[in-house]
Amino acid sequence: MTSRYRSSKTSEGLNSLTPRRRTVVKAAAASAVLAGPLTATLPARAVDQAPAFLHGVASGDPLPDGILLWTRVTPVPEAIPGSGVGPDTEVSWVVARDKAFAAVVAKGSTTATAASDHTVKADIRGLQPGTDYWFRFSAGGTDSPAARTRTAPANDAAVTGLRFGVVSCANWEAGWFSSYRHLAARGDLDAWLHLGDYIYEYGTGEYGTRGKVVRPHAPAHEIVTLADYRIRHARYKTDPDLQALHATAPVVAIWDDHELANDAWSGGAENHTEGAEGAWSARQAAAKQAYFEWMPVRPAIAGTTYRRLRFGKLADLSLLDLRSFRSQQVKVGNGEVDDPDRTLTGRAQLDWLKAGLKASDTTWRLVGNSVMISPFAVGSLSADLLKPLAKLLGLPQEGLALNTDQWDGYTDDRREILAHLRTNAIRNTVFLTGDIHMAWANDVPVDAGTYPLSPSAATEFVVTSVTSDNLDDIVKVPEGTVSAVASPVIRAANRHVHWVDTDRHGFGVLDITAERAQMDFYVLSDRTKRDATAKWSRSYRTRSGTQKVERVYAPV
């Protein structure tokens, strides 16, 4: 196949007081009879078809010689997600260089069992680097849809260009996944990055729908048990736009909090009530098990999502798990945000990140980062803007200046990583971030208080939400109304922030060459419309060696 690496291209914190965003789920709901919500995770055509591939196919974590393939088979009609029933079923897979599967390069089989919710993965090796492939699964005479994937370039390849879709925060009930559809339609992605909140854990109507549930969750109650998490993942995987994107390019995914529960930390979550919902350790284990069953992700290090991928000499990508090891979030204003004994990353992961950044010999060091690392002060916002902004970010609503669920709540970890970048003269580090339901282009200053007189150690591109409420949704005003007022105020209080859009939904496309890394931001016409259009909004880039962001007036 002709290489597509080219020189040019066309075209939410826990505190010790009252919960902030919480609707307690009754214990009875967590143990409800499964039959009703389970069937909602299957398309109507599943009633009398089996075996069937009703949840699509996917690939992920591209390597120079391999790719991870995923699917879920329904072997008999009653073997619906989360049911725990259904026979062991042989599932075969085939990988070819062409969509017609005339040039097969790899094939094999595995067994889908109820123990893994009839999901299967195949970690394929022996492939050629930087190459497009097609794959599909088969069971009992039924073929899955065919899908395209792509391997990473060879580790020593002089790659001239890379292009990644970038998304986060997809609340099923708040709208349609048009961002996925528009990314799938491009046909030019080497991979796509999901930076967290691939699913949401809340019950129907409990979170961020601007008063309108566009389409209900399954199960309807908040997910707590292993069966619950499986059902919710299955519901998401019935979305045709999500299926289309998974069938177009490999995903590289990390989790944030909602794959577990809102504002999760190592020992609990804001959206978890011990007693009524059982032990946090059991819920966390169930959420993680379902995640690894239903996502084409390698649990590379001790069952977490932190790991590193390489794309030739042009870029490596360090993916962080900022939920499994973090200390409990603290209330803003008590000074504990600076406590060196508190951690966001955990000691082992921070050391791993520092070592990888220092040892990297690629032009660009990308960091998949689920919560914003750039400092963010909002103390000068007017009360009418501060209160809804605070609600969105999980801030106290009377004028505090930090979001302690982000790196702002763990400033010692941030100081250590930024000092490491400066001390070792590590250039071209770009943090790619989700979570906050807004789009940002930031320098990452060593000292925000004296910036821009002091240096920037890195840059950060933050993508907005696919559907989850942003500021205009909370205030319930037309898109752009709040951003027009809030954006200049936020920028005035945060001189390292080049741009912020508080109001729109959409996605990013990150395009990388040796000279620059550019993020093109796209916005949707209406998240509640299934046929929503997408248009380019803004572009920012960081040029090699500068550690600073600048505006660009056209997409790549």
Side-chain angles (χ1 to χ4, degrees), residues 197-214:
D197 299 342
Y198 184 99
I199 67 167
Y200 277 74
E201 84 279 17
Y202 292 98
T204 290
E206 292 179 2
Y207 179 80
T209 61
R210 201 170 185 170
K212 177 185 178 182
V213 173
V214 176

Side-chain angles (χ1 to χ4, degrees), residues 244-266:
L245 183 53
H246 273 303
T248 302
V251 67
V252 178
I254 54 175
W255 57 48
D256 191 28
D257 52 341
H258 291 292
E259 289 89 347
L260 311 173
N262 181 59
D263 287 359
W265 58 285
S266 59

Side-chain angles (χ1 to χ4, degrees), residues 157 316 337 407 477 529:
D316 56 31
V337 296
W407 288 76
V477 297
K529 304 297 184 184

